[in-house]
Amino acid sequence: MSYRVGRVKGVYAHTSLLKSLTIELEDDLNIIPGQFLMVWLPGYEEIPLSPSYADQNIVRLTVKGVGETTKRLISLDTGDRIYVRGPYGRGFDLDKPGKYLLAGGGYGAAPIIYSAYKLSKLGNQAVYVEGAKSIKEQLFIDEARKLGLEAILVTEDGSSGIKGLITDYIKQIIGEFDILLGCGPEPMLIKLLNMCIESGVDCQLSFERVVKCGIGICGSCVLGDRGLLVCYDGPVFNKERLMDLSFKEVV
Amino acid sequence: MSYRVGRVKGVYAHTSLLKSLTIELEDDLNIIPGQFLMVWLPGYEEIPLSPSYADQNIVRLTVKGVGETTKRLISLDTGDRIYVRGPYGRGFDLDKPGKYLLAGGGYGAAPIIYSAYKLSKLGNQAVYVEGAKSIKEQLFIDEARKLGLEAILVTEDGSSGIKGLITDYIKQIIGEFDILLGCGPEPMLIKLLNMCIESGVDCQLSFERVVKCGIGICGSCVLGDRGLLVCYDGPVFNKERLMDLSFKEVV
Amino acid sequence: MVDLRVELAGIKLSNPTVLASGILGDNAALLRRAAKTGFGAVTTKSFTIEPREGYATPIIAEVKAGLLNAVGLANPGYKEIKDILPKARVNGVPIIVSLAGSKIDEFVEMAIYAEDWGADIVELNLSCPHVSMMGMDIGHDPAFVANLVGELTGVIETPVFIKIGLTDNYMEVVSRALDKGAAGITAINTVKAMAINIYAKTPVLSHRYGGLSGPAIHPIATRVIYDIYREFKPPIIGIGGVEAWEDAVEFLLAGATAIGIGTAVSKHGLTISKVVSDGIRTYLEREGFESVRDIIGYVHRK
Amino acid sequence: MVDLRVELAGIKLSNPTVLASGILGDNAALLRRAAKTGFGAVTTKSFTIEPREGYATPIIAEVKAGLLNAVGLANPGYKEIKDILPKARVNGVPIIVSLAGSKIDEFVEMAIYAEDWGADIVELNLSCPHVSMMGMDIGHDPAFVANLVGELTGVIETPVFIKIGLTDNYMEVVSRALDKGAAGITAINTVKAMAINIYAKTPVLSHRYGGLSGPAIHPIATRVIYDIYREFKPPIIGIGGVEAWEDAVEFLLAGATAIGIGTAVSKHGLTISKVVSDGIRTYLEREGFESVRDIIGYVHRK
Ligand SMILES: Cc1cc2nc3c(=O)[nH]c(=O)nc-3n(C[C@H](O)[C@H](O)[C@H](O)COP(=O)(O)OP(=O)(O)OC[C@H]3O[C@@H](n4cnc5c(N)ncnc54)[C@H](O)[C@@H]3O)c2cc1C
Ligand SMILES: Cc1cc2nc3c(=O)[nH]c(=O)nc-3n(C[C@H](O)[C@H](O)[C@H](O)COP(=O)(O)OP(=O)(O)OC[C@H]3O[C@@H](n4cnc5c(N)ncnc54)[C@H](O)[C@@H]3O)c2cc1C
Ligand SMILES: Cc1cc2nc3c(=O)[nH]c(=O)nc-3n(C[C@H](O)[C@H](O)[C@H](O)COP(=O)(O)O)c2cc1C
Ligand SMILES: Cc1cc2nc3c(=O)[nH]c(=O)nc-3n(C[C@H](O)[C@H](O)[C@H](O)COP(=O)(O)O)c2cc1C
Ligand code: FES
Ligand code: FES
């Protein structure tokens, strides 16, 4: 059988539409930060999600209710079943030496905080920056601090931390870093990419496209005019790959 | 692909109808003495053969030309291809401590001499007895001696060694041994079994039936009224198993 | 303790596993051994009027996703049923007698004989893909099947199952057979296929064509079982690539009452029946069902 | 140096590997990438008159012996051919345009359009097993196929291939299509099947049914290719479970001129084309052949 069956062990509501589900699987799963799972709720669709934490048979999913399936997901209760296949795709390469700047926007902070766990285990230096609409939607600032990282919140409405867009803040500090890991809305990613090109900082960015098969066969997740596949070649792409693309669609 | 392709590396003619073919395979094969290979010559049938020697990617088959396929086999030349699948079945258990009596009749000496190789490697004490029609059909007496074993030839016509039937000779000496390994014509095996029952000596005997699938599914190789399968439960059966059977067919 | 018993047209099985036809099954000792090892029922090799030698070896070709066979309906002829059946019977395990023929007369003669010698179910092999004028060659014709089943249910009381393979019109065949009194459906037989050895540059099987079995056909069988149950809900012996209890449960949920096991016997031995029925038991317990009967066709209830 | 070039109805391929329809193929960038990675030809996703969203996810179910899919012929509609084809073309790699429809008119309209925009071959998908009124539903009818092919070969000059699946009467369909001028045969499409999740107790695919591909169907495809070559010797694009060069050689020996690769792209990436064509080259060298063309249909010569 291709699906692993998990049980919801706990639900943490960041807001009414943004929740973290801790899932217990029957067997251990080895997921690299940035890789994704295909998550199926029978009767609903199957969707890609990048865990915000994973260890042995525990996976934490941080989900924003944007449509039918994600809304159903965030309404799950402890004990409910959840079906996952994967992990799929390429995650972040955390073995590169240097000082890391971690940038997560919205639920895009999920694979970023998971990267923070791994980086702190590896003993790499990292600063965590999270962008959110307001303090209410802030996700992992406390967690990042508990990991011993400097953690900076940037809110659009200034309700906490630095006011503004995460990209504006990052522009100011990027020069101090060797490598940037980013995940979030596509306009944010494009800005980050351009910044990194200008400043000569290395980067790895996680992109979204509509993922249907998850295994590089249906073509639905194609990104850019070189035919990159988000589910197979990504979702995390490095700077060299991204520089090759023309992002007319979004810029 | 299920077949391994081998090349004939050498042919040794014991007689014009009884030959040993040394086969070189592309990969190593781990065969326990007494196990068999299904050997296919395209255009002919696929038949079961128990190697008379095997080491890494080398297998030696000792074949008596009795019908179309075996006759074709013994007419192969160096360089010819041969197709094998397996090994299948259960071989001799050579780990039991004690003094071994090895009894091979006709081409049945094949798995017996291969056992001799393994036993001498294991440092177990063993005496090799071979039964043949005449000196011309004698197979592995020299080889057994080179292994440092006492080796006795019993010929029906007395053209060499002891004259008579191998079973008559073994009857005289069986008391000196702890365990007998036997392979040969079925009447020989039945006599050996009865001898072992009477004298309290342990035994393992290799039986033949028409083997078609080799993988325990077609039922063609059934032995006895308990539904033992030569290809799956055998070809080597131990004393306990055999004592359960009624061998009306042959005795 | 959950209940594993099922009934196939009134015939009681202690658990849903069935030894599939052609697997070790033309010999009393082997059928007996299978029954003792834990199968809920055993099926004989398909018998024909005359004894058949079967094809020359190779009769088996191992492929990545399963097995090809072209045994060629080797069997000792139906008259042997008389010797085999009484000896094969043990612990009350039902015996399904499989029959293959090319004419209605042949089937009638054999079916009466099988009934006389104690067959619990008569299964008509209408789907062997590698013997001409038998099996698939006649089984894809709904009119023939309807006549055949009609004749047989007129002369014997033993439940008649038809064993189908993958054809375009299996739904019509099943529908006609059930109309004429078939007691149940066995699905599926092997799928016609071929394996070529690239060094020998020739088909492996002496008969060239063979029937594909094993994991390869499991999702096809699931579909066929699902279709038949959805439409007709007859007793179904689901067969095809079952090699673990999960595969068996899949068939049960799709609508099978019993689960035939063939190819997996080669990989796992006859104890596969125990492994599968134990697995079903644990599954039922964990999922909160009391009887295996509660999950038959379950996916259709949603 | 052995020669890997083959011709499909006059269309030259640098090597026999072909990207199968539906694999990454409704996007110019992906077709281009596949062509660059070493495929001898690439096939587009099947286009339909209207754009199709396809089915809801799950559209894929992984099974032991392969893959089930029910993409539902998702495609942007045939008018996109105009944008896709010119961008997809690279290094002279031929592009096969796959079309799916329910009526002859639809096929005619799309085929003319495909020809206008440079299709090297037009492939008629008469075998998709999971969309009603298209694919298999029409492709098993020899009369319809004969009419369809007759009409198309009357209006376009581009070679027309028909893509068949596993039906009872594929030999008749092929025969009628060739009679009416079909330039070649693509065989086979996926086989209708189902996977049920035993904990969810429901079919995995949102569409319930899907098409089985991968190693499971390889021996079935070998048989179909063998049959068609034996009888008609047309150019054949052999497809089904090719995931290693040995599988490709098997098809060539059975009679395929070119080798379609689908599911294996998921396991091995697009570089599978290189791996397969390199393997074929080494095989030919070792077995003493000068050209891949020397082994096409070789098993029939014995
Ligand atoms: C690699 C990857 C990782 C992701 N990780 C997370 C995560 O950790 N947390 C999280 O909340 N979301 C994540 N997403 C996004 C998430 O998959 C979508 O929000 C989800 O698919 C929407 O499904 P729905 O049925 O709820 O909404 P729908 O009603 O289907 O759509 C709502 C919105 O989501 C977009 N969308 C729909 N289907 C998909 C799809 N299959 N793939 C991508 N986008 C889609 C639509 O374009 C639309 O804008 C990730 C996406 C990708 C590609
Ligand atoms: C486990 C096992 C190991 C064997 N090892 C050897 C060996 O090392 N050397 C050797 O020379 N022979 C061995 N044999 C016997 C060998 O398999 C047969 O001699 C061979 O199958 C005959 O094939 P044929 O086509 O040449 O003769 P055929 O014309 O088919 O038959 C000639 C004789 O062989 C018997 N026979 C036919 N087919 C089979 C079959 N599939 N299995 C068993 N017997 C059959 C027939 O009953 C007949 O008596 C072994 C048999 C078994 C079961
Ligand atoms: C070696 C072999 C012999 C078979 N012989 C028969 C037969 O005589 N009659 C029959 O109805 N089915 C026969 N079958 C088909 C099986 O009963 C079964 O339907 C098929 O193998 C699919 O199940 P599996 O995947 O579990 O093997 C045979 C199958 C195999 C592998
Ligand atoms: C995801 C997917 C989508 C497919 N879409 C199409 C299609 O649009 N048109 C078509 O003719 N075949 C389609 N097919 C069938 C393939 O072209 C091919 O015939 C089949 O998958 C068998 O080959 P394989 O085993 O190499 O995958 C599709 C197959 C898959 C797996
Ligand atoms: S989602 Fe199908 S190719 Fe990426
Ligand atoms: S040869 Fe088929 S069961 Fe032993």
Side-chain angles (χ1 to χ4, degrees):
Chain A
M1 257 175 318
S2 61
Y3 287 101
R4 289 161 198 262
V5 187
R7 292 263 186 201
V8 177
K9 280 286 139 185
V11 182
Y12 181 86
H14 304 285
T15 72
S16 61
L17 274 182
L18 194 54
K19 299 190 184 172
S20 285
L21 287 76
T22 306
I23 314 294
E24 190 182 68
L25 301 169
E26 298 204 337
D27 313 297
D28 289 2
L29 206 63
N30 186 19
I31 312 176
I32 296 165
Q35 284 190 310
F36 66 95
L37 296 171
M38 291 301 285
V39 177
W40 178 45
L41 289 179
Y44 297 82
E45 290 215 46
E46 183 189 47
I47 61 166
L49 295 171
S50 290
S52 58
Y53 178 76
D55 187 33
Q56 298 182 27
N57 69 330
I58 297 296
V59 175
R60 183 179 62 183
L61 303 174
T62 299
V63 187
K64 180 162 189 186
V66 298
E68 234 189 310
T69 307
T70 45
K71 282 181 183 152
R72 173 72 195 137
L73 259 170
I74 57 172
S75 74
L76 289 183
D77 273 334
T78 303
D80 284 348
R81 274 181 171 161
I82 189 167
Y83 299 77
V84 304
R85 59 184 175 101
Y88 295 117
R90 285 199 214 172
F92 292 106
D93 176 0
L94 306 177
D95 287 328
K96 299 207 167 172
K99 199 174 166 196
Y100 283 75
L101 175 53
L102 312 184
Y107 66 74
I112 297 297
I113 188 70
Y114 182 29
S115 301
Y117 275 95
K118 292 272 168 171
L119 283 170
S120 77
K121 234 188 203 159
L122 291 167
N124 278 331
Q125 238 191 308
V127 170
Y128 176 86
V129 184
E130 189 181 302
K133 289 239 160 65
S134 74
I135 183 170
K136 289 206 289 183
E137 300 194 5
Q138 167 266 323
L139 291 169
F140 305 119
I141 292 290
D142 290 351
E143 242 176 272
R145 287 192 183 133
K146 272 194 202 132
L147 288 170
L149 267 59
E150 186 184 341
I152 298 139
L153 178 65
V154 185
T155 54
E156 289 181 32
D157 64 359
S159 49
S160 177
I162 292 160
K163 183 177 168 153
L165 288 175
I166 183 172
T167 43
D168 292 335
Y169 175 70
I170 285 181
K171 193 161 203 152
Q172 300 166 25
I173 61 165
I174 189 154
E176 300 160 31
F177 295 86
D178 299 304
I179 180 162
L180 174 141
L181 309 185
C183 183
E186 195 145 321
M188 162 183 154
L189 296 178
I190 305 298
K191 280 190 200 155
L192 291 177
L193 175 62
N194 289 332
M195 253 178 243
C196 289
I197 294 173
E198 274 165 33
S199 59
V201 173
D202 198 8
C203 69
Q204 300 175 31
L205 304 173
S206 174
F207 281 78
E208 280 191 19
R209 281 294 177 275
V210 176
V211 168
K212 285 186 171 178
C213 73
I215 56 171
I217 201 168
C218 75
S220 94
C221 68
V222 64
L223 170 79
D225 39 24
R226 304 240 162 180
L228 294 179
L229 295 171
V230 163
C231 78
Y232 197 86
D233 305 303
V236 176
F237 298 93
N238 63 23
K239 195 174 165 186
E240 293 70 44
R241 277 260 167 129
L242 294 168
M243 281 172 72
D244 267 2
L245 303 176
S246 52
F247 277 101
K248 307 177 202 104
E249 317 98 87
V250 280
V251 199
Chain B
M1 258 172 320
S2 60
Y3 287 101
R4 290 162 198 262
V5 187
R7 292 264 186 200
V8 177
K9 280 286 138 182
V11 181
Y12 182 85
H14 303 283
T15 73
S16 62
L17 274 183
L18 193 55
K19 299 190 183 172
S20 285
L21 287 77
T22 306
I23 314 294
E24 190 182 67
L25 301 169
E26 298 204 338
D27 314 297
D28 289 1
L29 206 60
N30 187 19
I31 311 176
I32 296 166
Q35 283 189 308
F36 66 95
L37 296 171
M38 290 302 286
V39 177
W40 178 45
L41 290 179
Y44 296 82
E45 291 216 45
E46 182 190 46
I47 60 166
L49 295 171
S50 290
S52 57
Y53 177 76
D55 186 33
Q56 295 183 32
N57 68 331
I58 298 295
V59 175
R60 183 178 64 181
L61 303 173
T62 299
V63 187
K64 180 160 187 187
V66 297
E68 233 189 311
T69 307
T70 45
K71 281 180 183 153
R72 173 72 195 136
L73 258 170
I74 59 172
S75 75
L76 289 183
D77 273 333
T78 303
D80 284 348
R81 272 180 173 161
I82 189 166
Y83 299 76
V84 304
R85 59 183 174 102
Y88 295 116
R90 284 199 215 173
F92 292 106
D93 176 0
L94 305 177
D95 288 328
K96 298 208 169 175
K99 201 173 166 196
Y100 283 74
L101 175 53
L102 312 184
Y107 65 74
I112 298 296
I113 187 70
Y114 182 30
S115 301
Y117 276 94
K118 293 272 170 171
L119 283 170
S120 76
K121 236 190 204 161
L122 291 168
N124 278 330
Q125 240 192 307
V127 171
Y128 176 86
V129 184
E130 190 182 303
K133 288 240 159 64
S134 74
I135 185 171
K136 288 207 291 183
E137 300 194 4
Q138 167 268 323
L139 291 169
F140 303 120
I141 292 291
D142 290 351
E143 243 176 273
R145 287 191 183 133
K146 273 196 202 130
L147 287 170
L149 267 58
E150 187 185 341
I152 299 139
L153 178 65
V154 184
T155 55
E156 288 181 33
D157 66 359
S159 49
S160 176
I162 293 162
K163 180 175 172 157
L165 288 175
I166 182 172
T167 43
D168 293 334
Y169 175 69
I170 284 181
K171 194 163 203 149
Q172 300 166 26
I173 61 166
I174 188 155
E176 300 162 30
F177 295 87
D178 299 303
I179 181 162
L180 175 141
L181 309 184
C183 184
E186 195 145 320
M188 162 184 154
L189 297 177
I190 306 297
K191 281 193 202 156
L192 291 178
L193 175 62
N194 290 332
M195 252 179 245
C196 287
I197 294 172
E198 275 165 34
S199 60
V201 172
D202 197 9
C203 70
Q204 300 176 34
L205 303 172
S206 175
F207 280 78
E208 279 191 20
R209 282 294 177 275
V210 177
V211 168
K212 285 186 171 178
C213 72
I215 56 172
I217 201 168
C218 75
S220 95
C221 68
V222 66
L223 171 78
D225 39 25
R226 305 241 163 179
L228 294 178
L229 296 171
V230 163
C231 77
Y232 197 87
D233 306 302
V236 176
F237 297 92
N238 63 24
K239 196 174 165 187
E240 293 70 43
R241 278 258 168 132
L242 294 168
M243 281 171 72
D244 268 0
L245 303 176
S246 53
F247 277 101
K248 308 178 200 102
E249 317 98 270
V250 280
V251 197
Chain C
M1 191 67 172
V2 298
D3 186 356
L4 285 185
R5 291 172 303 168
V6 294
E7 274 193 24
L8 285 171
I11 305 300
K12 293 178 172 41
L13 277 61
S14 62
N15 75 71
T17 63
V18 174
L19 182 72
S21 178
I23 312 305
L24 306 177
D26 67 355
N27 174 287
L30 286 168
L31 287 167
R32 204 179 152 81
R33 182 175 171 191
K36 277 190 163 176
T37 319
F39 278 98
V42 295
T43 313
T44 69
K45 175 84 198 161
S46 297
F47 288 102
T48 51
I49 290 281
E50 300 296 332
R52 288 176 59 97
E53 272 278 317
Y55 301 129
T57 57
I59 58 160
I60 289 282
E62 293 172 57
V63 294
K64 258 187 234 162
L67 199 70
L68 295 192
N69 89 80
V71 170
L73 290 180
N75 79 89
Y78 83 107
K79 293 271 182 196
E80 291 293 311
I81 290 174
K82 173 180 151 193
D83 283 337
I84 293 170
L85 246 57
K87 279 194 217 142
R89 193 169 293 281
V90 59
N91 300 343
V93 175
I95 301 176
I96 303 170
V97 173
S98 172
L99 303 175
S102 19
K103 291 187 225 116
I104 292 182
D105 289 356
E106 292 180 6
F107 278 103
V108 169
E109 186 175 334
M110 294 189 287
I112 293 173
Y113 198 79
E115 176 168 276
D116 287 350
W117 289 102
D120 295 289
I121 289 175
V122 165
E123 181 176 280
L124 312 180
N125 176 352
L126 303 175
S127 43
C128 176
H130 53 70
V131 174
S132 70
M133 303 306 298
M134 287 195 188
M136 192 62 104
D137 278 6
I138 55 167
H140 79 274
D141 176 357
F144 174 85
V145 174
N147 283 341
L148 173 61
V149 173
E151 287 283 337
L152 288 179
T153 51
V155 293
I156 63 169
E157 274 161 36
T158 311
V160 173
F161 274 56
I162 64 162
K163 179 161 180 186
I164 62 161
L166 182 65
T167 59
D168 294 348
N169 61 355
Y170 61 82
M171 289 299 274
E172 195 187 340
V173 168
V174 165
S175 164
R176 302 281 298 267
L178 292 173
D179 279 352
K180 293 287 187 176
I185 308 296
T186 304
I188 62 173
N189 213 314
T190 55
V191 178
K192 195 173 179 181
M194 180 180 283
I196 289 170
N197 185 287
I198 64 169
Y199 298 104
K201 303 179 189 75
T202 176
V204 173
L205 299 171
S206 73
H207 184 62
R208 294 182 296 152
Y209 299 96
L212 177 62
S213 60
I217 66 169
H218 183 73
I220 301 175
T222 305
R223 156 208 161 190
V224 173
I225 295 163
Y226 179 95
D227 278 350
I228 295 172
Y229 188 88
R230 192 196 58 217
E231 205 65 22
F232 309 109
K233 304 201 171 32
I236 301 170
I237 304 174
I239 312 187
V242 173
E243 54 175 23
W245 65 264
E246 289 93 339
D247 304 323
V249 170
E250 211 176 335
F251 279 180
L252 291 164
L253 294 169
T257 298
I259 306 300
I261 303 178
T263 304
V265 167
S266 155
K267 228 197 231 169
H268 305 284
L270 287 165
T271 45
I272 182 76
S273 61
K274 274 288 287 170
V275 176
V276 168
S277 55
D278 286 351
I280 297 173
R281 178 182 294 116
T282 312
Y283 170 85
L284 293 170
E285 275 163 10
R286 286 226 230 145
E287 298 293 305
F289 294 101
E290 280 171 17
S291 160
V292 65
R293 299 185 297 280
D294 296 340
I295 65 166
I296 295 169
Y298 191 90
V299 300
H300 301 271
R301 285 180 229 165
K302 292 212 159 176
Chain D
M1 190 66 173
V2 298
D3 186 357
L4 286 185
R5 290 170 305 169
V6 294
E7 276 193 23
L8 284 172
I11 305 300
K12 293 180 171 42
L13 276 61
S14 62
N15 74 71
T17 63
V18 174
L19 181 72
S21 178
I23 313 305
L24 305 176
D26 66 355
N27 174 287
L30 286 168
L31 286 167
R32 204 179 153 83
R33 183 175 169 189
K36 275 189 164 176
T37 318
F39 278 98
V42 295
T43 313
T44 68
K45 175 83 198 162
S46 298
F47 289 101
T48 50
I49 291 282
E50 299 295 332
R52 287 176 59 98
E53 271 279 316
Y55 300 129
T57 58
I59 58 161
I60 289 281
E62 293 173 56
V63 295
K64 259 187 232 162
L67 199 69
L68 295 191
N69 90 79
V71 170
L73 291 180
N75 80 90
Y78 82 107
K79 293 271 181 195
E80 291 293 311
I81 291 174
K82 172 180 153 194
D83 283 337
I84 294 171
L85 246 58
K87 279 194 217 144
R89 194 170 292 284
V90 59
N91 300 344
V93 174
I95 301 177
I96 304 170
V97 173
S98 173
L99 303 175
S102 17
K103 290 186 227 119
I104 291 183
D105 288 356
E106 292 180 6
F107 279 103
V108 169
E109 187 176 333
M110 293 189 288
I112 293 172
Y113 197 80
E115 176 168 277
D116 287 349
W117 289 102
D120 294 290
I121 289 175
V122 166
E123 182 177 279
L124 312 180
N125 176 350
L126 303 175
S127 43
C128 176
H130 53 71
V131 174
S132 70
M133 302 307 297
M134 287 195 187
M136 191 63 102
D137 278 5
I138 56 168
H140 79 274
D141 176 358
F144 175 86
V145 174
N147 283 341
L148 173 62
V149 173
E151 287 283 335
L152 287 179
T153 51
V155 292
I156 63 169
E157 274 163 35
T158 311
V160 172
F161 274 56
I162 64 163
K163 179 162 181 185
I164 62 161
L166 181 66
T167 58
D168 294 347
N169 62 354
Y170 60 82
M171 290 299 274
E172 195 188 339
V173 168
V174 165
S175 164
R176 302 281 297 269
L178 292 172
D179 279 352
K180 293 289 186 173
I185 309 295
T186 304
I188 62 173
N189 212 313
T190 55
V191 178
K192 196 173 179 181
M194 180 181 284
I196 289 170
N197 184 287
I198 63 169
Y199 298 104
K201 303 181 189 74
T202 177
V204 172
L205 299 171
S206 73
H207 184 63
R208 294 183 294 150
Y209 299 97
L212 177 62
S213 61
I217 65 169
H218 184 72
I220 301 174
T222 305
R223 155 208 161 189
V224 173
I225 294 163
Y226 179 95
D227 278 350
I228 295 172
Y229 188 89
R230 192 197 56 214
E231 204 65 23
F232 310 108
K233 301 200 173 33
I236 300 171
I237 304 175
I239 313 187
V242 173
E243 53 176 25
W245 64 266
E246 290 92 340
D247 305 323
V249 170
E250 211 176 334
F251 279 179
L252 290 164
L253 294 168
T257 298
I259 306 299
I261 303 178
T263 304
V265 167
S266 156
K267 226 197 233 168
H268 304 284
L270 287 165
T271 45
I272 182 75
S273 61
K274 274 289 286 171
V275 176
V276 168
S277 56
D278 287 350
I280 297 173
R281 178 182 293 117
T282 313
Y283 171 86
L284 293 170
E285 275 162 10
R286 286 226 232 145
E287 298 292 306
F289 294 101
E290 280 172 16
S291 160
V292 64
R293 299 185 297 281
D294 296 340
I295 66 167
I296 294 170
Y298 191 90
V299 299
H300 301 272
R301 285 179 227 164
K302 290 214 158 174

